[in-house]
Structures are given as C-alpha cells and as structure tokens.
Amino acid sequence: MTRLNVPELAPEVYKAFIQAEQALRKGPLDGAVRELVKIRASQINGCLFCIDMHIHDALHHGETQDRIFQLPGWRESELYTDAERAALAYAEAATRQPDGVSDEVWNAVTAAYKPEEAAYLVALVAQINMWNRLGATMHTRPPKRG
C-alpha cells in the first residue's frame, strides 16, 4: 500500500514534475534511450512501480523483450549501440554515486551525443532518480495485470 499520495497532497509540486517529464519526452533523445535509462536506473534504485511502468512503456513503443531481458547485463550484451552504452554507463554512475561520473564515462557521453542531447540525458537521469525516490520510498505498487 502506498504510504502517501503525493499528487493529492502536493498537487503543484507534482504538476511541475509532470511538466518536466513532458519536456523530456519532447527533447532530442531517442525514445529507446529514454526508456532504457529509466528502466536501468529504476532497477538500481529498486523502484518496482517505475520498473514495471517503463518496461511496459518500452514494449509499447517497440522495444524488444531481449533488450529488456539483457538490460541488467548490458555491458556483456551485443544488443546495444555505442550511444546506448554511453547513456547507460552515465545513468548507472550518476544513480549509484552522483559525484562518481568519471571522465571516461562523461567523455563517452559527449562523443555519442550533441551537447543538447547530453543536457537532456543529464536531466532525464536526474528526473528518473527523483521519480524512483518517490515511488520506492512511498511503496507505490504497479497495477495488477493478468
């Protein structure tokens, strides 16, 4: 059971979170990268609600099951592009320890993405970590499906 209904109790704050999410969706990052990053950060953070939601969103937008299944082991998988690998490495580093994004990880991001895209990636990772903090700490559960 959810501990607290943040959208109901802090509607203006929640509305701002949703507006940021909408801006990120309109940004220059590829949809597959956005969803893979959201899934991976959510896995690290243990946010069941977000893991469930973003896997379903990814499947709805054409992501393959194999890429989702292999996401926790993306470094060993041959299914991801260099740009996706750079985004995933950044997402993992920033999620685990924000000041732990090495020059090597950052240089891979700037090699794979234009500056505007890199800015959206940074914002996306910050945003999904915020959502994970809300979902996991409030024990938000995904909907029950078949």
Side-chain angles (χ1 to χ4, degrees), residues 6 10 68 77 93 103 125 128 138-139 141:
V6 175
I68 292 170
S77 175
D103 288 341
V125 171
I128 191 58
M138 293 300 104
H139 295 188
R141 300 291 175 236

Side-chain angles (χ1 to χ4, degrees), residues 44-105:
I44 292 166
N45 287 323
C47 183
L48 179 62
F49 181 86
C50 292
I51 293 167
D52 180 83
M53 178 174 59
H54 293 297
I55 286 175
H56 283 278
D57 286 352
L59 290 169
H60 178 76
H61 289 98
E63 187 57 80
T64 68
Q65 288 183 354
D66 284 341
R67 284 169 40 98
I68 292 170
F69 294 155
Q70 292 185 23
L71 189 54
W74 65 267
R75 282 181 173 81
E76 291 79 30
S77 175
E78 297 177 355
L79 300 181
Y80 305 97
T81 67
D82 289 342
E84 290 167 340
R85 290 174 184 285
L88 290 167
Y90 174 80
E92 284 190 1
T95 296
R96 288 193 168 116
Q97 185 177 343
D99 65 350
V101 177
S102 68
D103 288 341
E104 179 183 4
V105 167

Side-chain angles (χ1 to χ4, degrees), residues 1-7 49 134-142:
M1 175 180 278
T2 301
R3 290 179 168 174
L4 188 72
N5 188 327
V6 175
F49 181 86
L134 284 175
T137 62
M138 293 300 104
H139 295 188
T140 306
R141 300 291 175 236

